[in-house]
Amino acid sequence: MRNRAGDIIKIIILSGFLLVVYSCGQLEVDIEVVNLFDPADADYSNPETEVLDWPAAGLTIDSTSAVFTWRHSDPNYHYDPTHEVDYAERIFYRYRLNTSIWSPWYSGEELLQQDLGFWTFDTLTGLHVLQLDYLEDIDYNFEVMSKYPTNIREDEWPNISFMVDAFEGVELLISPGQVFADSGTVFYVNAKLIDVTDFMGIHLDVSYDNSFMQLQNYALESDSTDFLLQSAGHLINFIDNDTENGRFQLDLGVAGGAVTGVSGTGNIVRLIFEHTGSRGQSVISISSESMVRDVYNNSVIEHIFSGVVSVW
């Protein structure tokens, strides 16, 4: 009897609770939704990149490396541990050097997964850091552009001009020193002489990782022949193209013509590669065995620089 009376009391209490809930209706809670990528949000700002560290505009630097650091110009988009959304890591950026192809778009979140090495994202500061190496002694123009995940792009992005003058004397180098290419595509570099005087011959020894790229062709382009034949001579060359071991050797001489030889800056030969390996970076090296000789058979080379290929 006592158990039955207890059950009846429980049913009465439960029924009363359900009646109260039903009479009150659905509970409504006001939640403020913040989306800084939505133009309708009160705190929304257009994409705008602030470059914090770079070679000052118009400055000549004495280094073959340059570092660029940037983020959104609006502090609302900077990293804040109290924010539910990390806006800094979700903004996409791309860059280009000397009006070459734009890099792919990368967000900070993607860079943490890609581990490119030369382009990093710092989760604590929300900063993008890009280091460009193998720069040659020429004028450069650097641009960086941002966009939101909604595909809203920056209209007027930073554009920075600077000059590299790192070395004096005759240079033999891979040009451009920084090459960017898509996976599986064809790209080229030049072997280049800078500030040579009375040049008459060269032994060029180039090596590369043939598991990353394959040399498809080589050529003396019109810019090379214009440079090499300025003394009205003719060219004699011998080539050893060892693709199995990733090595290319060229012996080239300028015969006849003016006794003063070739002077100035110009390309020697173009090397055309195809990317065949994994994504990442790989160096195209000029061996220290390479030599440049003048009309008196003196070795005149003072600096040798390799190049790097970055495949997205």
Side-chain angles (χ1 to χ4, degrees):
M1 186 71 179
R2 290 181 180 178
N3 289 340
R4 181 174 178 79
D7 291 340
I8 293 174
I9 293 173
K10 289 180 182 178
I11 292 172
I12 294 173
I13 294 173
L14 178 60
S15 299
F17 174 75
L18 293 175
L19 180 62
V20 170
V21 171
Y22 178 79
S23 62
C24 290
Q26 184 177 0
L27 294 177
E28 295 184 1
V29 179
D30 291 332
I31 300 175
E32 183 181 1
V33 178
V34 177
N35 182 5
L36 295 182
F37 296 136
D38 182 356
D41 191 278
D43 292 324
Y44 172 85
S45 292
N46 288 323
E48 184 177 355
T49 305
E50 175 187 22
V51 182
L52 302 176
D53 187 18
W54 73 99
L59 179 70
T60 298
I61 63 173
D62 58 358
S63 172
T64 57
S65 298
V67 176
F68 300 84
T69 304
W70 66 79
R71 65 183 176 186
H72 198 294
S73 64
D74 187 341
N76 284 328
Y77 293 80
H78 297 174
Y79 172 73
D80 187 336
T82 65
H83 287 174
E84 293 184 5
V85 175
D86 187 349
Y87 291 100
E89 74 173 17
R90 298 190 181 187
I91 299 174
F92 290 82
Y93 293 92
R94 66 178 182 175
Y95 75 92
R96 66 180 177 182
L97 192 65
N98 280 9
T99 65
S100 61
I101 62 171
W102 283 99
S103 72
W105 292 102
Y106 280 115
S107 67
E109 191 173 32
E110 290 177 329
L111 287 173
L112 292 173
Q113 299 171 356
Q114 290 281 343
D115 190 23
L116 294 178
F118 62 96
W119 182 1
T120 60
F121 175 74
D122 190 327
T123 55
L124 295 180
T125 62
L127 295 176
H128 286 255
V129 180
L130 176 74
Q131 179 165 329
L132 299 178
D133 298 314
Y134 299 97
L135 300 177
E136 55 187 286
D137 285 1
I138 59 173
D139 295 335
Y140 284 98
N141 192 70
F142 174 81
E143 300 170 79
V144 57
M145 179 195 297
S146 63
K147 74 171 182 177
Y148 292 154
T150 54
N151 211 33
I152 299 175
R153 298 188 182 187
E154 190 170 6
D155 290 329
E156 297 182 5
W157 54 90
N159 188 319
I160 298 168
S161 298
F162 63 100
M163 178 185 293
V164 174
D165 188 8
F167 297 95
E168 297 290 337
V170 181
E171 301 174 39
L172 174 62
L173 68 160
I174 296 295
S175 175
Q178 281 264 0
V179 178
F180 302 95
D182 292 326
S183 179
T185 60
V186 173
F187 60 92
Y188 71 86
V189 297
N190 296 301
K192 183 177 183 179
L193 277 173
I194 294 181
D195 292 340
V196 69
T197 301
D198 295 337
F199 163 78
M200 287 296 284
I202 182 173
H203 170 69
L204 176 67
D205 189 345
V206 175
S207 61
Y208 55 92
D209 180 356
N210 64 352
S211 67
F212 183 88
M213 63 188 114
Q214 282 287 333
L215 182 61
Q216 298 296 315
N217 204 352
Y218 49 87
L220 293 178
E221 298 292 323
S222 59
D223 56 351
S224 298
T225 54
D226 289 346
F227 169 63
L228 294 170
L229 297 178
Q230 62 179 267
S231 62
H234 62 275
L235 301 178
I236 301 174
N237 64 80
F238 302 93
I239 292 171
D240 181 6
N241 183 20
D242 183 2
T243 56
E244 290 188 3
N245 293 298
R247 190 175 184 187
F248 174 86
Q249 296 183 79
L250 166 67
D251 288 284
L252 181 145
V254 181
V259 295
T260 54
V262 175
S263 298
T265 295
N267 294 327
I268 300 298
V269 63
R270 175 164 294 181
L271 303 176
I272 303 167
F273 292 93
E274 180 182 6
H275 173 248
T276 56
S278 58
R279 300 173 190 267
Q281 282 189 323
S282 187
V283 174
I284 301 175
S285 299
I286 299 180
S287 167
S288 59
E289 299 297 317
S290 299
M291 292 183 292
V292 176
R293 296 193 176 276
D294 64 11
V295 294
Y296 305 105
N297 203 32
N298 296 317
S299 177
V300 297
I301 194 69
E302 296 180 62
H303 309 286
I304 295 177
F305 300 107
S306 301
V308 63
V309 180
S310 301
V311 174
W312 307 108

